[in-house]
Amino acid sequence: MLRTFFTTTAAICAFAAGPALAAQCGNNANGFDQWKNAFAQEARAAGVGQRGLNALANARYANGTIAADRNQKSFKYSLSKFMQVRGADTIVAQGRKRKARNAGFYQSLEQRFGVPAGVLLAIHGMETGFGGFMGDSSVVSAITTLAYDCRRSDFFVPHAIGALKLVDRGAITPNTKGAKHGELGHTQFLPGNALRYGVDGNGDGRVDFYSEADALASTANFLRQKGWQPGAGYQEGQPNFRVIQQWNAAGVYQKAIAIMASRIDG
């Protein structure tokens, strides 16, 4: 699910916002290899190491990603239709069961970040069906394809840098699978935000977005860092709704998350 995430680190943002980039965007596969060669210089200057550069060199133009980016129909539905299509009743029912089954975990996240269980469970259910399907596209190929594509290159370049840095750190590999827009893990973080907001939720000393605990803790951290006010409401018009808006750009998605979260928290 595509989100309105714009930054990785201040250095990357400053780099991406600087003079005209040497790597020229394109609208089809023809110039992708040439773009990768130029982008490798930018990536190296942004601090990407050899493992990340190797992953970039082996990235392939992702036709499926481009097709998905041009065809996001569900966001045009009415709220009721969107919730029906996305299985809101099932998400709520499963969310309640998961909350009851692991109450201590969700309480610990709320104590640490101030974000209630319902919000995290609604996002988890909406994004991947609670981890049931986390994507079948190469994260590196998808995100570099979008960084190359002229439609929204400026938005995706920092996330491409982020993905390559995650490869450097061993957080993902060149073969890691995610969603069509390069989102990864249980709650589908774009790579730059995984780099910035990732936290260790299970205490094993590393951040793995394919670990449910790490992904949910990182999601709570993202929301808190974006201004979540503990104890404040999150329905439309309430203080925390604007934070939910930071998670996804589509109004229908934002409203659905708030409604489902409220039903889960009950």
Side-chain angles (χ1 to χ4, degrees), residues 2-3 5 8 32 35-36 39 55-56 59-62 65-66 137-149 152-167 172 176 178-184 189-193:
L2 188 57
R3 301 167 189 76
F5 294 164
T8 55
F32 187 57
W35 175 89
K36 286 195 300 178
F39 189 64
L56 172 63
R60 297 183 178 183
Y61 185 81
T65 288
I66 295 301
S137 300
S138 163
V139 169
V140 173
S141 289
I143 205 71
T144 53
T145 296
L146 290 167
Y148 160 71
D149 186 61
R152 284 180 293 172
S153 183
D154 288 347
F155 176 84
F156 284 106
V157 161
H159 295 296
I161 297 290
L164 301 180
K165 287 190 172 185
L166 289 172
V167 172
I172 64 173
T176 294
K180 294 296 186 186
H181 287 83
E183 307 98 327
L184 52 95
F189 267 82
L190 281 169
N193 296 290

Side-chain angles (χ1 to χ4, degrees), residues 81-93:
K81 177 66 172 178
F82 180 82
M83 292 185 70
Q84 177 188 358
V85 168
R86 300 303 293 270
D89 289 344
T90 299
I91 290 172
V92 169

